[in-house]
């Protein structure tokens, strides 16, 4: 189960979202459970509340995502099937309870731990639901959308779950599925991201740094140096994972964005450091997503060889014992380190170019000033990935 969820599903979600937008939402079991609970609540006469504004902006989602990220180093949730199982059952239970008590797809809008990831990474996806050109008011309005969107004004993938309700409700056939080039120029992009979205991009930039460092031993030693010293000094070996988690999603992002923000402010981006961060968040999300995809590729190609063993013996105990006793060879990775490094480097370079383009779309007047901080993050990730290939000693 762990191999399927964290080794295959999780990297696949990042790749699918960047390429196809929020395609996962079309088949998501949590949305299904929450919608069924919403219908059940209605038939039982439960008065379902509107989602409070602070929840709808993603304030709780960022907290839930942070908790999920902390569970990786803290309790190794990705390696312990028991914890993964608890996580899945709790998610299903919360989806059901939220559906029962709130209306308008409240779980998706205010509780789903990956909602901000899908919002940030899925914007440039090639699949989209949009009104036909010139459809105007003939296209369905907000009454056709359970996510409180107005389909007739839809101009971005950020909140649309691609559920097709508006297409089904559209007698005039003005709503369409579209397959476009990645990062369609016609989509709306706001000049400054919301605070939850900005904090999400900052936090994930630290997590991706940790993930990219983890493939290159020398970089990993540098990354781990401070949290390890802190754990040693505090005599808290048992809490070392939590200390590493706080370092990864709080301290490193802060240091990274202080550097990026300082460069941005020197270039004249924003009215303050906080404003510069919000203006950089959406273009930077493209670079961060590429780093995430690179690590996902590395994880997938090194874990995929275990699939035949997982299929033959889902429990995994005999396989693990055989590998430990060296009677069963460890499956080889699919790509050599230089090949993996070259593919990943291409991803980050292309993403950095796309991020510069997104900055131009978001704010044409400030795009030139945003180049330096975007190139700084892209260059930093590219440097770490070059290290994977064994080209830097
Ligand atoms: S927002 Fe979250 S819960 Fe809703 S459909 Fe998408 S992944 Fe599922
Ligand atoms: S009803 Fe239409 S606009 Fe609303 S989430 Fe579904 S596909 Fe998107």
């Amino acid at each position: 189960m762990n191999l399927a969820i964290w080794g295959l599903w999780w990297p696949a979600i990042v790749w699918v979202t960047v390429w196809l937008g929020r395609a996962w939402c079309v088949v998501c079991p949590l949305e299904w459970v929450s919608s069924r609970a919403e219908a059940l609540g209605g038939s039982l006469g439960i008065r379902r509340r509107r989602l409070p504004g602070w929840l709808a902006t993603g304030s709780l989602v960022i907290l839930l995502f942070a908790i999920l990220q902390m569970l990786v180093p803290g309790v190794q949730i990705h390696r312990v099937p028991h914890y993964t199982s608890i996580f899945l059952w709790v998610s299903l239970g919360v989806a059901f309870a939220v559906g029962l008590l709130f209306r308008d797809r409240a779980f998706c809008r205010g509780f789903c731990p990956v909602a901000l990831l899908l919002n940030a990474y899925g914007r440039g996806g090639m699949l989209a639901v949009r009104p036909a050109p010139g459809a105007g008011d003939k296209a369905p309005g907000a009454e056709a959308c359970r996510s409180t969107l107005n389909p007739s004004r839809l101009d971005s993938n950020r909140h649309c779950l691609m559920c097709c309700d508006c297409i089904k409700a559209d007698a005039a056939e003005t709503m369409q599925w579209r397959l476009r080039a990645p990062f369609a120029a016609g989509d709306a992009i706001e000049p400054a991201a919301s605070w939850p979205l900005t904090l999400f991009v900052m936090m994930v930039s630290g997590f991706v740094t940790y993930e990219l460092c983890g493939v290159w031993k020398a970089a990993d030693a540098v990354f781990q140096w401070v949290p390890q010293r802190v754990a040693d000094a505090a005599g808290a070996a048992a809490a070392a994972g939590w200390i590493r988690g706080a370092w990864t999603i709080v301290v490193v992002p802060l240091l990274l964005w202080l550097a990026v923000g300082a460069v941005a402010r020197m270039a004249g981006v924003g009215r303050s450091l906080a404003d510069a961060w919000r203006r950089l968040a959406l273009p930077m999300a493209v670079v961060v997503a590429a780093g995430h995809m690179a690590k996902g590729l590395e994880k997938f190609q090194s874990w995929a060889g275990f699939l035949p063993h997982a299929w033959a013996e889902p429990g995994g105990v005999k396989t693990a014992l055989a590998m430990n006793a060296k009677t069963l060879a460890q499956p080889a990775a699919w790509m050599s380190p230089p090949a993996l490094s070259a593919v990943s480097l291409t991803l980050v370079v292309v993403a950095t170019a796309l991020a510069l383009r997104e900055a131009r779309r978001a704010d044409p007047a400030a795009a030139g000033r945003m180049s330096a901080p975007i190139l700084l993050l892209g260059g930093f990730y590219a440097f770490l990935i070059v290290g994977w290939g064994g080209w830097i000693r």
Side-chain angles (χ1 to χ4, degrees):
M1 179 177 72
N2 268 39
L3 173 67
I5 292 177
W6 303 111
L8 303 177
W9 175 81
W10 185 244
I13 280 289
V14 172
W15 275 78
V16 167
T17 305
V18 172
W19 279 105
L20 299 177
R22 302 185 66 147
W24 166 254
C25 294
V26 179
V27 294
C28 172
L30 292 176
E31 193 280 333
W32 187 85
V33 166
S34 204
S35 287
R36 297 291 83 72
E38 206 173 320
L40 179 68
S43 52
L44 292 177
I46 297 174
R47 198 175 140 262
R48 284 148 305 139
R49 297 156 51 119
R50 197 186 290 271
L51 193 68
W54 67 273
L55 281 177
T57 58
S59 307
L60 182 63
V61 173
I62 184 76
L63 190 67
L64 294 174
F65 187 79
I67 291 171
L68 182 57
Q69 295 292 43
M70 286 294 288
L71 291 177
V72 174
V75 298
Q76 303 280 306
I77 186 173
H78 58 312
R79 297 191 197 280
V80 184
H82 182 62
Y83 294 150
T84 299
S85 171
I86 292 174
F87 169 72
L88 293 178
W89 282 110
V90 168
S91 301
L92 282 169
V94 173
F96 186 84
V98 170
L100 217 50
L101 300 174
F102 292 93
R103 61 186 208 230
D104 304 327
R105 278 199 182 124
F107 183 78
C108 295
R109 297 190 297 121
F111 295 85
C112 169
V114 293
L116 286 171
L117 182 145
L118 298 167
N119 178 331
Y121 287 8
R123 288 173 176 238
M126 293 164 67
L127 275 181
V129 172
R130 294 284 185 276
D137 289 339
K138 279 190 269 156
E143 70 288 345
C145 178
R146 286 182 290 140
S147 295
T148 70
L149 303 175
N150 184 341
S152 69
R153 307 260 180 277
L154 206 56
D155 58 3
S156 163
N157 283 355
R158 61 187 145 164
H159 298 305
C160 174
L161 308 188
M162 301 200 289
C163 67
C164 294
D165 283 359
C166 55
I167 296 180
K168 288 179 208 150
D170 181 18
E173 299 188 359
T174 52
M175 296 301 296
Q176 311 172 328
W177 269 105
R178 293 224 189 117
L179 182 65
R180 319 91 47 89
F183 294 90
D187 277 10
I189 176 168
E190 51 275 40
S194 67
W195 265 115
L197 203 52
T198 304
L199 291 174
F200 166 81
V201 178
M202 292 170 75
M203 187 190 300
V204 184
S205 69
F207 185 73
V208 168
T209 303
Y210 159 67
E211 294 269 65
L212 298 183
C213 287
V215 187
W216 180 17
K217 268 195 185 137
D220 196 41
V222 174
F223 189 94
Q224 306 277 0
W225 195 84
V226 172
Q228 196 54 55
R229 294 286 99 54
V230 171
D232 291 347
W242 296 104
I243 293 170
R244 193 168 63 247
W247 172 251
T248 302
I249 66 165
V250 180
V251 184
V252 169
L254 207 52
L255 295 174
L256 198 55
W257 282 71
L258 279 173
V260 161
V263 172
R265 287 296 295 136
M266 279 191 275
V269 177
R271 293 180 304 274
S272 62
L273 183 62
D275 188 40
W277 283 349
R278 291 183 60 198
R279 287 172 184 279
L280 285 168
L282 286 172
M284 294 284 221
V286 184
V287 182
V288 175
H292 221 153
M293 289 167 83
K295 174 62 191 184
L297 178 66
E298 188 276 334
K299 203 178 276 182
F300 178 78
Q301 63 98 34
S302 60
W303 284 31
F306 288 92
L307 261 183
H309 299 297
W311 186 258
E313 196 226 341
V317 176
K318 280 190 208 150
T319 309
L321 289 174
M323 280 180 192
N324 205 29
K326 302 212 183 319
T327 54
L328 186 66
Q330 195 94 354
W334 285 358
M335 295 166 91
S336 67
L340 177 68
S341 175
V343 172
S344 301
L345 191 59
T346 308
L347 262 179
V348 169
V349 169
V350 171
T352 305
L354 282 169
L356 294 171
R357 183 167 160 267
E358 290 296 278
R360 264 198 310 279
R361 292 203 314 112
D363 188 350
R369 284 174 260 146
M370 293 211 265
S371 306
I374 292 170
L375 289 170
L376 182 64
L377 184 68
F380 176 52
Y381 282 178
F383 169 72
L384 293 176
I385 287 171
V386 168
W388 294 6
W391 291 306
I392 304 174
R393 302 279 168 200

